Amino acid sequence: MADPLSYIDRELPRFREELFHFLRIPSISARSEHDADTRAAAEWLVGELRKAGVEASLAETPRHPAVLAHWSGADDAPTVLVYGHYDVQPAEPLDEWSSAPFEPEVRDGRIWGRGAADDKSQVFLQVKALEAILATRGALPVNVKLVLEGEEEIGSPDLVPLLKERRAELAADHVVISDSMMFAPGQPSLIFATRGLAYFELDAEIGRTDLHSGQYGGAVANPANALAAVIASLHDDVGHVAVHGFYEDVAPLPEELRARFRALPFDDAAFQQSAGGAELVGESGYTTVERLWTRPTLDVNGLLSGYTGEGAKTVLPARARAKLSCRLVAGQDPEGVGELLRAHVEQATPPGVRITMRQLQSARPWRSGTDSALYQAASAALEETFGVPPVLAAHGGTLPIAPEFEDVLHANVVVMGFALPGANMHAPDEWFPEAHVGLGMKAMVRLFTNLGAMAPS
Amino acid sequence: MADPLSYIDRELPRFREELFHFLRIPSISARSEHDADTRAAAEWLVGELRKAGVEASLAETPRHPAVLAHWSGADDAPTVLVYGHYDVQPAEPLDEWSSAPFEPEVRDGRIWGRGAADDKSQVFLQVKALEAILATRGALPVNVKLVLEGEEEIGSPDLVPLLKERRAELAADHVVISDSMMFAPGQPSLIFATRGLAYFELDAEIGRTDLHSGQYGGAVANPANALAAVIASLHDDVGHVAVHGFYEDVAPLPEELRARFRALPFDDAAFQQSAGGAELVGESGYTTVERLWTRPTLDVNGLLSGYTGEGAKTVLPARARAKLSCRLVAGQDPEGVGELLRAHVEQATPPGVRITMRQLQSARPWRSGTDSALYQAASAALEETFGVPPVLAAHGGTLPIAPEFEDVLHANVVVMGFALPGANMHAPDEWFPEAHVGLGMKAMVRLFTNLGAMAPS
């Protein structure tokens, strides 16, 4: 009987061409001018799934369609739902890419391009793992469903309504979320907690028109100075967020977990290198791993006011804008944090300036237990593939849908991914390890096999 | 004998066409792509001066040429040097103009367009006042020189070297600076003090590349938050600049002048209207007039960091930039203020961030005495033209060359202009009162006549 693992090795050159085709589609969900590209990426996935022998179709939403697929021939074997996303972040700043973001290249054993790590390669390897099993064995060891959405990078606004609407159709015992990274090269990980997100836009304004800083400077407020004052007031001197009540709902971290995190061989130097050389600093009293996995943050994501071109322009701007966001941890609620921030901003706004605040995105934090059959099967699959057991890890970014899958489908959720630290997700020069395309497929083949060998849940 | 005042009335329609031609030239000195336009504006002026009967030529500089002109037929009558500038500010934000910035229009008795007030109409009326006298009388009552520069909006970097190099050629008894506004409609003014400027660019950086705020947020500094903290630290709670030593060199204002300023019929409501509705707030303990004329400021002119497009992008930016500038008053030195600011920024920079500071522009503040023959002649000329004596006023913007003319040429300097408050200099919808084109010419004819009637200085 043919072996799916050998099939993967044999078909890798073709897989690479197919992945490159997928990476070339600029499916930037945040940009309406790319709506057709985003749809094209979804349609391409439907075609690949059908070719593999999986039923697939588009589920329309008010924004970008989700790809839904299923293979249901495994009778009373458990059902595994795989989640990923085919949309990508905008590619700006374009001039900081070493090669064009939507013209993928392999250099130094890495596939470079927007979406290489987040999340196209990881979606792709799920599809091709199914193809490998079906092409060699004619059937999967478990029932499989896929939900591949096109709105992850804009906060998944339509995913939860879709899950709720199709709750019966998507019913599953296990959910595998395929949108994450390993702890280190050669060191796979299973992620049991992710941070949430509350994203805001603040607009400070003094009047209708930009002014001459000589004619008006000193006699009216400056919205950029005012916005800077408000932003500065959001932290205290030792890096704590100074918004009243911000930490009140943070769930305490079990001391055992904290000790495990502190004991991890986290490579500060490599992490700093991956951060473009940025010095490692943060909230006092915590290690880098704790800051990333267990502590909420408040970061400015964008600033814009007045004249930003070459040279000097003596303008007193009429308005200033900041985008800022909080990473949240278990216990915190994105909307509740928004209310706390709104109260703080109102109180901190200087005279003569109006500041309006809009909450652009919300994503819940997530933390799960780690003793399910799914965790055991996944752990074994990773150890068989990489030769070492996975690290039990958390994740600083959001996976907004992890808690939703738990809540809506009452399924166990595991997060298992194959990107590496420093992958430049959301930044120029994003990459994914070329070898992990095949290794990821093999790990998924083994995970399905392990789950199929277990008793029906 | 023909009368220059009647000549002006008769030729006004032609003058308007000529002025519109001048306004259509986008002589934006800050933008290298407009260098040819900037030169074209200078060459146009040379042509108009020659047609009027004044010798004129370009004086090359490393950037944009100055127009130098002279008429020297008045024997031992005094020599008056007139200064103006033919360059203009950039026109952005373009979508906030009611009509295109370089397609002048008359609406509501106002000429609308970039440079209408600052300073093309005011340069133009100088040239045509000379034409009016020479065309009707064949000679001027005084010797006249003109220095019309093309670099005022980029801080006049080459003007002082030019003045120094041509000190003998430009020798004059009196200097009239034609680049200012009246106190109010129907209320001319003579300006005896202007604020200086020190303009800076601050670049905050943590590393080489933008980061994912989930992957790195909390573990590295945020340059935008850091820059906001530094900017916030530059003021205290009551609007005073908190940079150590900032006020130390501010020359005390004579109590008599302060009382006059406080007694002026300054129209706060009209001023607020002209400021696009911005609320009037500022340093505690001073009136609006005092804040504008007698107090130094520190304003942000521009902010740029991270993602500023539509929607949300969860980027942790690698860098953040602020443009900021101080308006300075008599006694303060732009370079000295730069040193004070540099020391403050170094001390206020949070850990994990590098901030570099560049001083982009410097302009000295200026304050003169008000009892010279020039002030008397100008005061009389304005009263004859507008029917009321001028207000002795200061000016919140810079005229960097006022103190330089005093120092280099040892001449009396008066600043006399015809724009009106709310002219939107440096902002969209800049305008100049159409009637002031002719009134300004007549005031200049009378000023020359008054000075010619005085004893040689």
Side-chain angles (χ1 to χ4, degrees):
Chain A
M1 197 178 200
D3 171 14
L5 304 181
S6 307
Y7 179 92
I8 290 167
D9 286 333
R10 200 171 60 239
E11 298 296 330
L12 269 178
R14 170 173 60 87
F15 289 158
R16 195 175 91 175
E17 291 312 304
E18 291 169 348
L19 173 58
F20 274 33
H21 178 88
F22 189 31
L23 290 170
R24 284 190 196 102
I25 306 172
S27 48
I28 304 167
S29 51
R31 297 283 173 75
S32 50
E33 67 267 31
H34 283 290
D35 282 359
D37 299 313
T38 305
R39 175 168 292 270
E43 287 170 347
W44 184 83
L45 281 172
V46 168
E48 295 302 299
L49 282 159
R50 289 178 180 165
K51 278 195 275 176
V54 179
E55 285 189 48
S57 59
L58 293 187
E60 297 299 336
T61 76
R63 297 170 187 84
H64 304 293
V67 175
L68 299 187
H70 66 98
W71 188 94
S72 309
D75 298 329
D76 60 353
T79 298
V80 183
L81 187 149
V82 173
Y83 165 87
H85 65 92
Y86 66 82
D87 63 323
V88 300
Q89 282 275 317
E92 286 81 1
L94 297 176
D95 59 358
E96 295 187 11
W97 285 79
S98 303
S99 54
F102 296 104
E103 294 170 20
E105 284 187 16
V106 174
R107 300 191 306 275
D108 305 326
R110 297 171 171 184
I111 297 168
W112 302 85
R114 171 56 84 228
D118 182 17
D119 181 34
K120 280 181 167 173
S121 299
Q122 310 205 53
V123 161
F124 178 81
L125 67 86
Q126 297 293 343
V127 174
K128 297 298 163 174
L130 298 178
E131 177 195 310
I133 306 175
L134 288 167
T136 53
R137 303 231 160 111
L140 302 178
V142 288
N143 298 302
V144 171
K145 298 176 179 176
L146 293 100
V147 176
L148 308 176
E149 73 158 324
E151 302 179 347
E152 200 274 346
E153 301 296 1
I154 56 170
S156 302
D158 299 311
L159 185 67
V160 174
L162 185 80
L163 292 186
K164 288 182 174 163
E165 192 187 311
R166 306 202 180 208
R167 192 191 305 258
E169 176 185 343
L170 297 175
D173 305 291
H174 308 294
V175 173
V176 175
I177 295 180
S178 179
D179 182 18
S180 62
M181 56 177 61
M182 310 205 318
F183 182 73
Q187 180 57 75
S189 59
L190 288 174
I191 290 170
F192 78 105
T194 60
R195 291 197 289 193
L197 179 71
Y199 198 111
F200 309 95
E201 196 165 79
L202 270 66
D203 284 296
E205 191 184 30
I206 58 164
R208 289 178 301 277
T209 178
D210 286 353
L211 302 172
H212 184 301
S213 75
Q215 303 301 330
Y216 294 94
V220 296
N222 181 310
N225 289 80
L227 193 58
V230 169
I231 292 168
S233 76
L234 297 171
H235 285 91
D236 70 11
D237 290 344
V238 290
H240 296 299
V241 174
V243 174
H244 180 73
F246 185 74
Y247 295 103
E248 205 155 281
D249 294 329
V250 170
L253 192 72
E255 196 49 51
E256 185 264 341
L257 268 179
R258 188 172 189 199
R260 275 173 77 162
F261 290 164
R262 293 179 88 100
L264 279 173
F266 188 79
D267 186 340
D268 267 8
F271 183 73
Q272 180 170 4
Q273 174 69 19
S274 79
E279 189 182 337
L280 302 187
V281 297
E283 192 182 5
S284 69
Y286 297 91
T287 63
T288 298
V289 165
E290 288 177 298
R291 288 169 178 161
L292 290 172
W293 291 358
T294 74
R295 298 300 295 171
T297 67
L298 191 157
D299 268 307
V300 172
N301 306 108
L303 287 178
L304 184 63
S305 181
Y307 182 72
T308 59
E310 178 193 358
K313 185 178 176 189
T314 49
V315 63
L316 201 168
R319 55 193 74 87
R321 168 171 285 187
K323 291 173 192 269
L324 57 86
S325 58
C326 296
R327 296 286 169 176
L328 307 176
V329 298
Q332 290 183 298
D333 167 56
E335 307 300 330
V337 165
E339 286 314 305
L340 296 175
L341 182 63
R342 191 179 301 279
H344 181 103
V345 168
E346 274 171 21
Q347 183 271 324
T349 301
V353 180
R354 291 176 298 286
I355 299 187
T356 53
M357 185 180 119
R358 290 194 304 145
Q359 188 153 358
L360 299 187
Q361 279 190 15
S362 296
R364 293 160 62 199
W366 169 69
R367 195 198 292 173
S368 85
T370 57
D371 49 6
S372 67
L374 176 63
Y375 270 80
Q376 294 167 33
S379 185
L382 289 170
E383 184 165 358
E384 288 166 61
T385 305
F386 288 91
V388 292
V391 168
L392 191 64
H395 179 64
T398 61
L399 280 175
I401 39 60
E404 300 294 348
F405 278 115
E406 277 186 354
D407 290 1
V408 178
L409 303 183
H410 306 292
N412 293 314
V413 175
V414 72
V415 177
M416 178 173 145
F418 304 99
L420 282 180
N424 293 327
M425 292 179 179
H426 297 209
D429 281 348
E430 182 178 348
W431 59 274
F432 186 78
E434 190 186 15
H436 287 200
V437 176
L439 288 171
M441 290 178 199
K442 291 177 182 176
M444 287 309 302
V445 167
R446 288 174 171 130
L447 170 57
F448 292 136
T449 305
N450 293 347
L451 278 173
M454 289 178 172
S457 65
Chain B
M1 198 181 203
D3 171 13
L5 304 181
S6 309
Y7 178 92
I8 289 167
D9 287 332
R10 199 171 60 240
E11 299 296 330
L12 267 180
R14 170 174 60 86
F15 288 158
R16 196 176 89 175
E17 292 312 305
E18 291 168 347
L19 173 56
F20 274 33
H21 178 89
F22 189 31
L23 289 171
R24 284 189 197 103
I25 306 172
S27 47
I28 304 167
S29 51
R31 297 283 172 77
S32 50
E33 67 267 32
H34 283 289
D35 282 359
D37 299 313
T38 305
R39 176 169 291 270
E43 287 171 347
W44 184 84
L45 282 172
V46 168
E48 295 302 298
L49 283 159
R50 287 176 181 166
K51 279 194 275 177
V54 179
E55 286 189 45
S57 60
L58 294 187
E60 298 297 339
T61 75
R63 295 169 188 86
H64 304 293
V67 175
L68 298 186
H70 65 99
W71 188 94
S72 308
D75 298 332
D76 60 353
T79 298
V80 183
L81 186 150
V82 173
Y83 164 87
H85 66 92
Y86 65 83
D87 63 324
V88 300
Q89 281 274 317
E92 286 83 0
L94 297 176
D95 59 358
E96 295 186 12
W97 285 80
S98 302
S99 53
F102 296 104
E103 294 171 18
E105 284 186 17
V106 174
R107 297 190 307 275
D108 305 326
R110 296 170 172 185
I111 298 168
W112 303 84
R114 172 56 86 227
D118 183 18
D119 180 40
K120 280 179 167 173
S121 299
Q122 310 206 52
V123 161
F124 178 81
L125 68 86
Q126 297 293 342
V127 174
K128 298 298 164 172
L130 299 178
E131 178 195 310
I133 307 175
L134 288 166
T136 53
R137 303 229 160 111
L140 302 177
V142 288
N143 298 302
V144 171
K145 297 174 179 176
L146 294 100
V147 177
L148 309 176
E149 72 158 323
E151 301 179 347
E152 200 273 345
E153 300 297 0
I154 55 170
S156 302
D158 299 311
L159 185 68
V160 173
L162 184 82
L163 293 185
K164 287 181 173 163
E165 192 187 313
R166 306 202 182 209
R167 193 191 303 260
E169 177 185 342
L170 297 175
D173 305 292
H174 308 296
V175 173
V176 175
I177 294 180
S178 179
D179 182 18
S180 62
M181 57 176 61
M182 311 205 319
F183 181 73
Q187 180 58 74
S189 60
L190 289 174
I191 290 170
F192 79 104
T194 59
R195 291 197 288 193
L197 179 71
Y199 197 111
F200 309 96
E201 196 165 77
L202 270 65
D203 283 296
E205 191 184 30
I206 58 163
R208 290 179 300 277
T209 178
D210 286 353
L211 302 172
H212 184 300
S213 73
Q215 303 301 330
Y216 294 94
V220 298
N222 181 311
N225 288 80
L227 193 59
V230 168
I231 291 167
S233 76
L234 297 171
H235 284 92
D236 69 12
D237 290 342
V238 290
H240 296 299
V241 174
V243 174
H244 180 74
F246 185 75
Y247 295 103
E248 204 156 279
D249 294 329
V250 170
L253 192 73
E255 198 48 52
E256 185 264 341
L257 266 180
R258 189 172 187 197
R260 275 174 76 163
F261 289 165
R262 292 179 86 102
L264 278 174
F266 188 79
D267 186 340
D268 267 7
F271 183 72
Q272 180 170 2
Q273 174 70 19
S274 79
E279 189 183 337
L280 303 187
V281 296
E283 192 182 7
S284 69
Y286 297 91
T287 64
T288 298
V289 166
E290 288 176 298
R291 287 169 179 162
L292 290 171
W293 292 359
T294 74
R295 298 299 296 171
T297 68
L298 191 157
D299 268 306
V300 172
N301 305 108
L303 287 179
L304 184 63
S305 182
Y307 182 70
T308 59
E310 178 192 356
K313 186 179 176 188
T314 49
V315 64
L316 200 168
R319 54 192 74 85
R321 169 171 285 185
K323 292 175 190 268
L324 58 86
S325 59
C326 296
R327 297 286 169 175
L328 306 176
V329 298
Q332 289 182 299
D333 167 56
E335 307 299 331
V337 165
E339 286 314 305
L340 296 175
L341 182 63
R342 191 179 301 277
H344 181 103
V345 168
E346 274 171 22
Q347 184 270 324
T349 300
V353 180
R354 291 176 298 285
I355 299 186
T356 54
M357 186 181 118
R358 290 194 304 143
Q359 187 152 0
L360 298 187
Q361 279 190 16
S362 296
R364 293 160 62 197
W366 169 69
R367 195 198 293 172
S368 85
T370 56
D371 50 5
S372 67
L374 175 63
Y375 269 81
Q376 294 168 33
S379 185
L382 289 171
E383 185 164 359
E384 289 166 61
T385 305
F386 288 91
V388 292
V391 169
L392 192 63
H395 178 63
T398 60
L399 282 174
I401 39 59
E404 300 295 348
F405 278 116
E406 278 187 354
D407 290 359
V408 178
L409 302 183
H410 305 292
N412 294 313
V413 175
V414 72
V415 177
M416 178 173 147
F418 304 100
L420 282 180
N424 292 329
M425 293 178 178
H426 296 210
D429 280 348
E430 181 177 348
W431 58 274
F432 186 78
E434 189 185 15
H436 287 201
V437 177
L439 288 171
M441 291 177 198
K442 290 177 181 175
M444 288 309 302
V445 168
R446 289 175 171 126
L447 170 57
F448 292 137
T449 304
N450 292 348
L451 278 173
M454 291 180 170
S457 66

